[in-house]
Amino acid sequence: MTRKVPGIKQSEIDKVIRGPKVKAAMMNKAVKVQDYWKSVSPVFDPTDPKEHRKNPEHGAAGDYRDSIVVEVGKDAQGPFVKVKTTDFKRFWIEFGTKTMPKRAPRLKTLARFAKRGST
Amino acid sequence: MSPSPITPVDPPNDSPEYDVEDIVIAYLAGFGLVPDGHVAARIPENMVLPWVLVTRVAGGDDWIVDYATVQVDSFHGDQTAASTLARAVHHQMRQMRPQLTVELPSGRQAKIYRYATHQTPIYVPWEPEGGGLIMSRYVGVYELDVRLPSIPGY
């Protein structure tokens, strides 16, 4: 006689993890992260006389903010969602340059959602 | 007479809170990695290389701990020298162990609760448009949790 092992089977856990509820929760969180990241992103104002970026201009106003997207994918460990920016100015805005103050919107977003404190 | 732009100015002794930038500057200045006054929170007009720039870029606090994200830029005349300086800075930053006490120029002492490297130093151009490259920069990002001064009730 085989004794039945109590508890939840791994296959049942896997089934729930790959199910629609978890996917919906992941998307919900990703959209929150995306919204916050956009809210702390700088937007170029061509009418501002102090704005250095108009000489020369680097794309249209809001390009960086609008490039922040939620990517849905799947890899060897299963499905994932990723919030990312693809704008070419992302390193300049994040870390600053001679003419652009460091804004660090990505780090601000991480600090907000990394649960280190009540940021 | 106003102080020279590269002379570090002590925070007022009666400041009720710590500035994490001041803590990192006071900590790094003690190792002699760069000449006196060349670790600062701003870049002056007449900057002389090498230079280490400390900037708080993110993080909030609660009633007890300040959760700071700090960016440390290491500037030097060429990429190799900037990298070497950035590694020296990083080597000291990695030793900010929990319970480490840092003495500020004002004589106050700040205690580190937690340290984590968010980004080991990477090369990020300071003048992305080119046009007369005068210095190279490496950027490291660190998470520092610092015990805040006590407030009544906590």
Side-chain angles (χ1 to χ4, degrees), chain A residues 1 4 11 24 38 41 56 60 65 68 70 76 90 92 106 111 114-118:
Chain A
M1 181 180 164
K4 190 183 175 189
S11 60
K38 284 187 172 186
S41 295
R65 180 198 58 197
I68 299 163
V70 176
R90 58 192 182 275
W92 302 350
R106 179 181 152 275
K115 299 291 180 192
R116 282 171 66 209
S118 56

Side-chain angles (χ1 to χ4, degrees), chain B residues 14-115:
Chain B
D14 57 352
S15 173
E17 299 285 341
Y18 297 126
D19 183 340
V20 172
E21 289 175 354
D22 287 340
I23 293 171
V24 176
I25 290 167
Y27 173 74
L28 289 175
F31 299 106
L33 305 173
V34 289
D36 284 352
H38 288 224
V39 186
R42 295 290 177 268
I43 294 181
E45 292 278 328
N46 54 348
M47 179 179 75
V48 177
L49 295 172
W51 194 268
V52 176
L53 176 67
V54 179
T55 317
R56 178 182 184 138
V57 291
D61 64 9
D62 55 25
W63 298 275
I64 297 169
V65 178
D66 189 0
Y67 304 91
T69 304
V70 180
Q71 177 175 330
V72 180
D73 296 17
S74 301
F75 294 95
H76 218 308
D78 60 57
Q79 190 169 352
T80 306
S83 174
T84 305
L85 175 61
R87 303 305 143 187
V89 168
H90 184 60
H91 187 63
Q92 300 301 340
M93 290 298 291
R94 286 204 298 128
Q95 295 175 53
M96 287 192 117
R97 296 182 179 88
Q99 303 302 318
L100 175 82
T101 301
V102 178
E103 186 165 330
L104 296 168
S106 60
R108 297 182 71 193
Q109 294 188 329
K111 190 169 271 190
I112 306 298
Y113 261 24
R114 176 181 162 273
Y115 160 89

Side-chain angles (χ1 to χ4, degrees), chain A residues 2 14 31 42-43 49 59 63 88 94-95 103-104 107 109 112 117-118:
Chain A
T2 312
D14 290 345
V31 169
V43 174
D63 271 1
F88 76 99
E94 189 68 25
F95 298 119
R103 307 282 192 173
L107 285 170
T109 307
R112 172 91 175 189
S118 56

Side-chain angles (χ1 to χ4, degrees), chain A residues 68-95:
Chain A
I68 299 163
V69 293
V70 176
E71 180 189 336
V72 181
K74 194 174 184 180
D75 61 12
Q77 294 180 328
F80 66 83
V81 291
K82 184 189 286 183
V83 187
K84 66 175 188 180
T85 168
T86 54
D87 191 78
F88 76 99
K89 300 182 294 297
R90 58 192 182 275
F91 286 103
W92 302 350
I93 291 169
E94 189 68 25
F95 298 119

